[in-house]
Amino acid sequence: MWGHHRESSIVYKRTPSKDNSNMEEDVEENLDLLDNFIDKETTNPSWKLSLPHVLVATITSFLFGYHLGFDPLIFGLYRVVNEPLESISVDLGFNGNTLAEGLVVSICLGGALFGCLLSGWIADAVGRRRAFQLCALPMIIGAAMSAATNNLFGMLVGRLFVGTGLGLGPPVAALYVTEVSPAFVRGTYGALIQIATCFGILGSLFIGIPVKEISGWWRVCFWVSTIPAAILALAMVFCAESPHWLYKQGRTAEAEAEFERLLGVSEAKFAMSQLSKVDRGEDTDTVKFSELLHGHHSKVVFIGSTLFALQQLSGINAVFYFSSTVFKSAGVPSDFANVCIGVANLTGSIISTGLMDKLGRKVLLFWSFFGMAISMIIQATGASTLLPTAGALYLSVGGMLLFVFTFALGAGPVPGLLLTEIFPSRIRAKAMAFCMSVHWVINFFVGLLFLRLLEKLGAQLLYSMFATFCIMAVIFVKRNVVETKGKSLQEIEIALLPQE
C-alpha cells in the first residue's frame, strides 16, 4: 500500500515551473520516488479476467481497418488500379466525375473528424460502453445505406454516417483498453488495437477480391461490415464499464465491482485506494476546450497533438497511397502488393505486442521513427535516376516494406496508448479526442496534396521530406516523451501533476 508519511506532499505538492529540457528527468524522478511508496509484494492480477473485455473493444479497430482497407474512398483513392471505386462510380452514375469522387472522399473524412471531436464528450457523458454502441450505430446505418443506394446522394449520406463512426471509435477504444487493463499488460493490450486494425485491412482485401469479376460485389463488401458492428453493439452489453469513468461519476460501489470483474477481488480494493490518491475533487467539473490549449495540462496535450501530427507527416499514408504504383513498376500485381504491405504491417504489430511491456513505449517509439527515417532514405535513394532500374526498384520496394514494418513496431500502436496513459483522468477523454482530431486533419491534407507534391517535387525530394519529419520525431520523442511501462494510471498522473 501507499506509504503514510509524506504521502500528501507527493500528491499535492507543487513546485515552480521548470523548462522543457528538465521535464523528462523530473517526471522519471517522481516515478522512481513513487515506487518507494508502493508495496512491491502485491501480485499482478490475472490478465485472463480483462482480456475478453479488451477483445470486444478491439472490434472497433477491426472495423476501422476494414473500412480503411476496402474503402476506396479513404485508403485506395490514389491507387493506379482502383476496381471498387470504378465499380461504384459506374453503378451509381458518376463515373469520370472527379468532383463527385472528391465529395465522397471528403464527406467521409469530414464525418470522421466530426465523430472524433465529439468522442471525448460522448465518452464522458454516457460512459465508455455506450460510446462503443453509439460508434457501432452509424457504421451499421451508413454501411447499409451505402450498400443499398442507387444514387450518389445515398452514397454521400452513407459515407457521412460511416465516417462519423470511424472517427468516434478509435479514441474510445484507446480510452477503454487503457482504463480496464492491468498495468503489467497494458502495453500488450494496447498493441492488440493495431493488430485488430491490420486484420481488418487484410479482411477487406480478401472480401474485395471478387469486385473485378462480380458486378455489384462492392455492395456485399459494405453489407459484410455491418456484422462486426452489430456484434460490437451487442457484446458491449456484457462487458465491464470503465471503473475510472464510474469513479468520476461518484459511483464508487459500481467502480469497485467492475474492478473485481477485471482484476479480481484481491486487487479491487488496492485499485480503488490508488484512484482515491488522485481524486482532488475536480473530476466532475466541465473541461473547457480552451483548458486543453492553455490550461495546466496544455503541455501533455501539446505532446499528444505533436505525436499524432508527426505520425501522419512521416509519410505512412503516402506510402499506402503510392504502394501499388511502386510494386507495379517492379512487375508485382496490385493485389499481391497490397497483401505484402498488409503482412508487413501485421508482422510488425504482432512483434510489438511482445515488446511493448518489455522494452517500453518510449524505446519502441524512438527506434520506430528512426527505422522509418532510414526506410525513407532508402526509398529516396531508390527514386534516384543515377541507379540502374533493377537496383532502384529493389530499394523502393524494400524500403517501402521496411517502412511499414517499422511503423507497425512503434509509431503505429504507441501514440494512442501512450497518450491515454499520460493524460490525467479529468481530461483524458476530451484530450484524446482533440489529439486524434489532429490525426484526421493531417491525414486529410496528406491525401489531398500527396499526388500534387509528387508531381511538382518528384519522389526523391518528397521522400526526403518525409525522412526529415521522421528524424524530427526521433528528436521530439527523445526530449519530451516519458516512459510509462508497468506504472498504474494513478502513478503516472501523480508524476505528471501540473506545476504551479
Side-chain angles (χ1 to χ4, degrees):
M1 298 297 290
W2 295 82
H4 296 290
H5 65 290
R6 295 179 60 191
E7 177 183 274
S8 299
S9 65
I10 294 172
V11 179
Y12 297 103
K13 182 180 180 181
R14 307 297 172 87
T15 58
S17 298
K18 298 180 175 63
D19 57 44
N20 293 343
S21 62
N22 293 328
M23 177 183 176
E24 178 189 347
E25 181 181 350
D26 293 341
V27 171
E28 296 292 354
E29 288 178 357
N30 287 345
L31 288 173
D32 291 338
L33 181 61
L34 285 169
D35 285 341
N36 297 327
F37 295 90
I38 299 177
D39 183 4
K40 293 303 180 182
E41 294 180 359
T42 57
T43 58
N44 289 327
S46 173
W47 55 267
K48 297 178 182 179
L49 296 175
S50 53
L51 181 61
H53 307 270
V54 170
L55 291 179
V56 172
T58 59
I59 296 176
T60 302
S61 302
F62 177 87
L63 284 163
F64 180 79
Y66 183 89
H67 284 283
L68 189 72
F70 159 69
D71 201 340
L73 318 170
I74 295 178
F75 181 75
L77 178 66
Y78 303 101
R79 292 178 185 164
V80 174
V81 181
N82 195 347
E83 296 86 3
L85 180 59
E86 184 178 349
S87 299
I88 293 172
S89 61
V90 169
D91 288 353
L92 300 186
F94 61 92
N95 188 33
N97 187 339
T98 55
L99 176 60
E101 294 177 357
L103 279 175
V104 175
V105 174
S106 59
I107 201 169
C108 193
L109 291 174
L113 178 59
F114 176 73
C116 188
L117 285 171
L118 288 181
S119 63
W121 279 261
I122 292 174
D124 276 346
V126 302
R128 307 334 187 204
R129 288 194 311 169
R130 290 188 179 179
F132 276 115
Q133 294 172 322
L134 290 176
C135 158
L137 186 61
M139 285 193 181
I140 295 172
I141 295 174
M145 291 185 66
S146 298
T149 188
N150 291 312
N151 54 64
L152 175 61
F153 178 76
M155 177 60 70
L156 289 174
V157 175
R159 303 318 297 153
L160 179 62
F161 274 101
V162 169
T164 302
L166 287 178
L168 176 59
V172 176
L175 282 171
Y176 184 80
V177 170
T178 297
E179 293 179 342
V180 304
S181 302
F184 76 104
V185 291
R186 194 170 56 238
T188 300
Y189 283 177
L192 292 179
I193 293 177
Q194 179 76 4
I195 291 179
T197 302
C198 295
F199 276 123
I201 293 174
L202 291 174
S204 68
L205 295 176
F206 177 77
I207 294 295
I209 289 175
V211 164
K212 290 181 287 187
E213 287 76 26
I214 303 177
S215 177
W217 185 260
W218 60 269
R219 297 182 186 274
V220 175
C221 296
F222 281 118
W223 281 119
V224 167
S225 70
T226 64
I227 298 174
I231 293 174
L232 172 66
L234 179 62
M236 264 298 151
V237 175
F238 306 98
C239 289
E241 180 56 271
S242 164
H244 295 259
W245 180 79
L246 290 170
Y247 190 86
K248 284 174 61 179
Q249 305 304 307
R251 296 157 63 176
T252 308
E254 293 177 64
E256 185 170 354
E258 296 293 37
F259 268 134
E260 291 179 359
R261 291 181 65 187
L262 296 165
L263 306 178
V265 177
S266 62
E267 297 290 332
K269 290 191 180 299
F270 177 67
M272 289 296 295
S273 70
Q274 284 191 297
L275 269 182
S276 68
K277 300 304 176 184
V278 293
D279 177 24
R280 302 193 296 274
E282 59 184 11
D283 285 351
T284 57
D285 296 346
T286 300
V287 179
K288 298 180 180 179
F289 182 79
S290 59
E291 185 179 344
L292 301 179
L293 300 179
H294 307 293
H296 294 313
H297 304 294
S298 59
K299 173 62 179 179
V300 288
V301 174
F302 168 75
I303 291 174
S305 302
T306 304
L307 277 179
F308 272 120
L310 290 171
Q311 181 195 61
Q312 295 304 303
L313 291 172
S314 70
I316 183 60
N317 281 327
V319 166
F320 281 137
Y321 295 152
F322 201 44
S323 62
S324 291
T325 302
V326 173
F327 278 91
K328 185 179 181 181
S329 301
V332 179
S334 60
D335 288 340
F336 183 71
N338 295 332
V339 170
C340 289
I341 291 292
V343 169
N345 197 9
L346 178 61
T347 302
S349 299
I350 292 175
I351 293 175
S352 73
T353 62
L355 300 178
M356 196 79 77
D357 287 310
K358 292 181 180 179
L359 297 181
R361 289 47 151 169
K362 182 174 182 176
V363 172
L364 279 184
L365 201 57
F366 178 90
W367 289 107
S368 174
F369 276 121
F370 184 82
M372 290 159 63
I374 298 299
S375 304
M376 275 298 178
I377 293 173
I378 292 174
Q379 291 182 76
T381 304
S384 173
T385 56
L386 301 177
L387 292 176
T389 303
L393 287 175
Y394 279 123
L395 287 175
S396 296
V397 171
M400 187 167 287
L401 291 174
L402 180 62
F403 183 89
V404 173
F405 175 77
T406 52
F407 173 86
L409 280 176
V414 170
L417 170 67
L418 178 69
L419 300 191
T420 51
E421 291 178 320
I422 67 174
F423 289 148
S425 176
R426 179 171 177 263
I427 68 164
R428 184 175 294 135
K430 296 178 178 66
M432 192 64 185
F434 175 80
C435 292
M436 289 203 75
S437 297
V438 173
H439 162 277
W440 282 108
V441 171
I442 300 296
N443 185 13
F444 171 77
F445 282 106
V446 170
L448 179 68
L449 300 175
F450 174 68
L451 284 184
R452 183 81 172 182
L453 292 173
L454 183 64
E455 178 184 339
K456 296 293 184 181
L457 303 178
Q460 187 173 22
L461 182 55
L462 189 56
Y463 284 146
S464 298
M465 290 174 58
F466 288 138
T468 302
F469 280 116
C470 291
I471 294 172
M472 290 172 60
V474 169
I475 298 171
F476 182 83
V477 169
K478 177 66 176 177
R479 290 175 57 88
N480 296 279
V481 173
V482 297
E483 186 53 69
T484 59
K485 72 168 182 174
K487 305 294 181 182
S488 72
L489 297 181
Q490 291 71 45
E491 291 176 70
I492 297 168
E493 182 167 346
I494 291 172
L496 291 172
L497 279 175
Q499 306 294 309
E500 290 180 352

